[in-house]
């Protein structure tokens, strides 16, 4: 009798556990897709997030995330709490000394412009729509490239640690056509931002966005829907770029994720 009860308890718990699946590594910078039962309520670190009608949800882990992530899933009168450890990564740190000061700090007259750019970018990244494109497979924005910058790397210039690099830099000739990595809606299309130059932000739903910078041409407009593979502009060196390259970003709202966690790079 007792054995049957124990069996039933194990069966009960494992059936709930089996209903939740994750795609992606529980590692710093990672993009993760979850699948729960329809109609569940999902909280990531106590933050309620959107779930699709068929049970999909998305979230991501910060570059420097150290503490476990807590995923709370409720549905059909049950609540399950999943606590996951986060694998730590080693990032590339580079020290450069003896740089002229003007390359280190932007001049005061551009502060207002930078502030305005940041507001626009922040607003686009905070958009939370019901689009479910995020659960599909991303494609590379260009076909022939050399990766010249990776996520997480950091420079220490004249002894001062700079902001880590959160993108992937694709080096290719200026004017190379650039494709949308995923279906989405354009939420920002600017030709000349101070740091990022020609800039595009795509909303893929549930707070998942991608961002392209340093574009030569921006051939899309805010509100426009794009399909994966559509040409949205051309590669350039606009903004504070010294050579032609496409820097792409992947975000879960304000959390900057490693685009390499969704791409197949050579
Ligand atoms: Zn970059």
């Amino acid at each position: 009798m007792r054995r049957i009860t124990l069996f039933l308890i194990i069966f009960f718990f494992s059936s709930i556990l089996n209903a939740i699946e994750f795609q992606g590594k529980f590692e710093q910078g990672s993009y993760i897709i979850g699948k729960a039962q329809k109609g569940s309520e999902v909280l990531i670190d106590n933050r309620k997030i959107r779930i699709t009608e068929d049970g999909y949800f998305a979230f991501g882990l910060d570059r420097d995330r150290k503490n476990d992530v807590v995923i709370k899933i409720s549905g059909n009168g049950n609540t399950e709490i999943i606590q996951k450890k986060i694998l730590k990564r080693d990032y590339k740190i580079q020290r450069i000394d003896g740089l002229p000061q003007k390359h280190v700090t932007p001049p005061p007259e551009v502060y207002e412009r930078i502030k305005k750019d940041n507001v626009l970018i922040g607003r686009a990244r905070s958009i939370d729509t019901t689009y479910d494109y995020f659960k599909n497979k991303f494609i590379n924005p260009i076909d022939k490239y050399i990766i010249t910058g990776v996520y997480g790397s950091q420079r220490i210039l004249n002894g001062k640690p700079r902001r880590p690099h959160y993108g992937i830099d694709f080096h290719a000739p200026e004017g190379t056509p650039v494709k949308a990595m995923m279906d989405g809606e354009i939420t920002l299309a600017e030709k000349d931002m101070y740091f990022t130059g020609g800039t595009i932000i795509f909303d893929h739903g549930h707070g998942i966005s991608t961002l392209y910078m340093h574009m030569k041409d921006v051939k899309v407009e805010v509100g426009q829907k794009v399909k994966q593979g559509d040409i949205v502009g051309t590669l350039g060196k606009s903004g504070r770029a010294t050579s032609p390259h496409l820097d792409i970003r992947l975000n879960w709202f304000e959390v900057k994720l490693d685009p390499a966690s969704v791409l197949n790079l050579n």
Side-chain angles (χ1 to χ4, degrees):
M1 189 61 203
R2 191 173 291 166
R3 186 171 292 176
I4 290 169
T5 313
L6 185 65
F7 173 78
L8 283 176
I9 289 170
I10 291 169
F11 178 78
F12 176 68
F13 279 110
S14 63
S15 68
I16 302 177
L17 280 171
N18 286 340
I20 296 153
E21 292 162 30
F22 296 105
Q23 280 174 55
K25 269 192 202 169
F26 283 84
E27 180 180 72
Q28 290 176 335
S30 242
Y31 174 58
I32 296 166
I33 297 171
K35 172 104 166 54
Q37 278 173 320
K38 289 179 186 181
S40 302
E41 185 182 279
V42 181
L43 281 90
I44 305 291
D45 297 327
N46 278 325
R47 172 183 190 161
K48 193 183 170 196
I49 61 161
R50 198 179 277 287
I51 170 165
T52 63
E53 271 173 33
D54 46 354
Y56 286 94
F57 55 94
F59 62 99
L61 304 166
D62 184 78
R63 172 189 185 267
D64 300 307
R65 171 99 195 195
K66 286 176 185 73
N67 48 327
D68 295 357
V69 61
V70 180
I71 303 143
K72 191 173 163 189
I73 299 174
S74 314
N76 300 326
N78 301 311
T79 293
E80 186 182 348
I81 295 173
I82 302 165
Q83 188 163 343
K84 293 270 196 183
K85 293 235 172 299
I86 309 302
L87 287 169
K88 293 194 181 58
R89 294 172 58 177
D90 279 324
Y91 299 110
K92 217 168 78 183
I93 308 292
Q94 191 184 15
R95 281 169 195 282
I96 305 167
D97 294 317
L99 272 189
Q101 203 58 34
K102 67 178 166 81
H103 290 296
V104 179
T105 313
E109 60 269 23
V110 298
Y111 287 174
E112 277 308 309
R113 195 174 152 204
I114 293 168
K115 228 200 283 178
K116 211 182 101 212
D117 291 351
N118 287 341
V119 168
L120 287 175
I121 292 172
R123 216 178 271 162
R125 288 176 49 190
S126 69
I127 292 172
D128 183 7
T129 62
T130 57
Y131 290 136
D132 63 353
Y133 305 128
F134 67 87
K135 64 182 187 176
N136 302 324
K137 210 172 154 17
F138 287 77
I139 60 162
N140 290 339
I142 50 178
D143 298 323
K144 283 177 76 181
Y145 55 83
I146 298 166
I147 301 294
T148 52
V150 295
Y151 176 90
S153 59
Q154 189 174 27
R155 282 177 171 179
I156 300 174
L157 304 184
N158 296 342
K160 284 187 199 160
R162 306 308 289 179
R163 279 184 356 140
H165 187 249
Y166 287 100
I168 291 182
D169 293 331
F170 291 81
H171 178 83
E174 192 166 4
T176 300
V178 174
K179 296 181 280 192
M181 295 187 284
M182 173 60 67
D183 293 5
E185 182 178 331
I186 305 298
T187 53
L188 181 145
E190 290 284 327
K191 291 189 177 358
D192 187 27
M193 291 184 130
Y194 180 76
F195 283 116
T196 58
T199 310
I200 303 174
I201 300 183
F202 306 77
D203 166 34
H204 307 294
H206 293 218
I208 300 299
S209 65
T210 50
L211 184 154
Y212 292 179
M213 57 178 85
H214 309 310
M215 306 282 289
K216 181 171 191 254
D217 296 301
V218 171
K219 294 178 176 169
V220 286
E221 288 170 9
V222 171
Q224 190 177 331
K225 304 253 170 53
V226 292
K227 285 270 166 212
Q228 184 175 64
D230 283 355
I231 304 297
V232 295
T234 57
L235 183 144
K237 55 173 178 151
S238 56
R240 303 303 105 178
T242 49
S243 65
H245 73 282
L246 173 70
D247 184 338
I248 62 157
R249 306 293 170 100
L250 172 69
N251 309 303
W252 175 53
F253 297 111
E254 74 288 353
V255 186
K256 295 169 177 170
L257 312 177
D258 188 351
S261 66
V262 298
L263 296 175
N264 229 326
L265 301 171
N266 56 36

